[in-house]
Amino acid sequence: MSEHSANPSSTVAATGRPLAVKAVIPAAGLATRFLPATKAVPKELLPVVDRPVLQYIVEEATQAGIGDVLLITGRGKTSMVDHFDRRPDLETRLEEKGDAERLAAVRRPSELAEIYTVRQPEQLGLGHAVGYAESHVGDQPFAVLLGDEFVKPSEPLLPAMLELQARTGGVVLAFFEVDPAETKRYGIASVEPAESELTDIGEVVKVTGMVEKPQPEDAPSNLAVLGRYVLPGKIFDAIRRTKPGSGGEIQLTDAMELLRTEGTPVHAIVYRGTRYDTGMPLGYLQTVVQIAAERDDLGTEFRSWLADFVNADTAGGSGT
């Protein structure tokens, strides 16, 4: 049994439109940046202290009231589904030992949400991956959470995005500010002020265009796309009509831009909270250190060791 009910009739915005109650997590990539570790272990299951990245992302969805999660998987990634299954043998052993804390931690993934999967046979772009969710989602709005980013639970992002999408009926994105010199690493948006009736939701902007990885001198802003989207069901038709773009892949950005040019409103929330990016080794290591340093059970001792290590390294020692 999941923690949250996926009942669209009980989750509606003030407009009467339903809030999205399903989430899609594209997780079929090869994760070449982490080879050889990801030859046998999906990047999404790399641990951040004692929980895999993917669990943090599913927890983010369930915290927002989403109880139905579809994983878009690929070859060699069945262990992602196993993580959210029960382990009666392990649970029995922990029960016999009286280890209630670890027993609860082992059971928790299976209690978060209803987990479904679909296989993407070829990795032909994010738009291509999202298209495989159509038979599961239908014509209802849904959230897309990329499998290598998550936000701090005490600084949630998704609830405001769900509310904004239900009010507008369109596409909702999330942005974060980057250094202008870094725009060539991200999708960058051009924006204008949002309608006044939407500003109670948060720092909302209206999107007037999106550019993929522009050079700093060509960037329309320093607002980069964060890996969270809430999309209307008509995105699937737009994906079918989207031709391969950057890298010969079907880009979700191009499909969203097609909807925007056809009159679908596109808005975004500028996120000022803490974002963890585990998509590259440096960001992954930074995430592990940040979260470990904040843990009640580890933080004090870990921060003390980390300070000693850094000071010893600065002084030319080994830090060990």
Side-chain angles (χ1 to χ4, degrees):
M1 179 68 69
S2 66
E3 292 182 348
H4 299 280
S5 171
N7 179 9
S9 64
S10 66
T11 51
V12 296
T15 59
R17 293 192 187 96
L19 293 169
V21 295
K22 295 184 178 183
V24 173
I25 302 178
L30 297 175
T32 55
R33 293 187 181 96
F34 286 87
L35 287 171
T38 49
K39 179 182 177 182
V41 178
K43 177 182 70 173
E44 295 80 8
L45 292 187
L46 293 178
V48 177
V49 188
D50 55 4
R51 277 183 283 167
V53 172
L54 185 59
Q55 184 172 331
Y56 284 92
I57 294 168
V58 173
E59 288 173 347
E60 183 182 337
T62 59
Q63 184 186 17
I66 291 175
D68 181 309
V69 176
L70 176 69
L71 303 179
I72 310 293
T73 69
R75 293 180 187 85
K77 295 211 165 188
T78 56
S79 55
M80 291 193 302
V81 183
D82 293 340
H83 178 72
F84 294 95
D85 201 354
R86 294 288 299 270
R87 275 288 304 272
D89 57 332
L90 180 57
E91 292 173 24
T92 298
R93 179 65 63 88
L94 293 170
E95 277 186 303
E96 290 171 348
K97 292 174 61 178
D99 194 338
E101 183 177 353
R102 286 190 175 87
L103 177 61
V106 167
R107 284 178 173 168
R108 178 167 170 74
S110 65
E111 298 169 345
L112 287 172
E114 303 297 333
I115 304 293
Y116 303 90
T117 65
V118 64
R119 178 74 65 88
Q120 182 189 15
E122 293 182 273
Q123 284 72 62
L124 298 176
L126 180 57
H128 182 258
V130 171
Y132 276 86
E134 183 172 14
S135 61
H136 185 79
V137 171
D139 60 358
Q140 296 300 305
F142 64 102
V144 174
L145 294 81
L146 299 194
D148 52 15
E149 293 182 64
F150 59 96
V151 303
K152 196 170 186 176
S154 60
E155 300 165 354
L157 166 63
L158 204 51
M161 294 182 68
L162 298 177
E163 174 67 22
L164 181 57
Q165 197 284 328
R167 287 207 207 173
T168 65
V171 171
V172 172
L173 310 175
F175 295 153
F176 66 104
E177 287 193 321
V178 298
D179 188 291
E182 295 294 303
T183 58
K184 58 179 179 281
R185 294 179 51 202
Y186 302 96
I188 302 295
S190 55
V191 302
E192 62 183 33
E195 298 87 336
S196 59
E197 64 268 21
L198 299 175
T199 55
D200 65 302
I201 296 176
E203 191 174 345
V204 180
V205 292
K206 186 173 183 179
V207 180
T208 58
M210 289 173 281
V211 182
E212 197 64 36
K213 299 179 181 178
Q215 291 299 316
E217 62 271 17
D218 300 322
S221 73
N222 69 329
L223 294 176
V225 179
L226 194 152
R228 295 292 178 269
Y229 312 79
V230 185
L231 304 170
K234 57 185 173 182
I235 190 67
F236 297 115
D237 177 65
I239 290 171
R240 281 190 291 271
R241 293 186 288 124
T242 298
K243 293 180 170 53
S246 175
E249 298 180 336
I250 298 172
Q251 300 293 345
L252 182 61
T253 298
D254 294 340
M256 294 187 298
E257 179 66 6
L258 176 60
L259 287 183
R260 190 191 67 80
T261 61
E262 293 176 345
T264 298
V266 180
H267 293 83
I269 292 177
V270 181
Y271 183 64
R272 305 288 183 183
T274 303
R275 164 184 171 265
Y276 303 106
D277 183 356
T278 64
M280 293 186 292
L282 178 59
Y284 169 74
L285 292 172
Q286 290 169 334
T287 297
V288 173
V289 169
Q290 288 178 68
I291 289 180
E294 294 173 355
R295 288 267 297 244
D296 291 338
D297 57 340
L298 298 172
T300 300
E301 187 174 355
F302 179 67
R303 286 193 302 270
S304 176
W305 172 85
L306 189 62
D308 290 344
F309 176 81
V310 171
N311 291 335
D313 185 63
T314 301
S318 65
T320 60

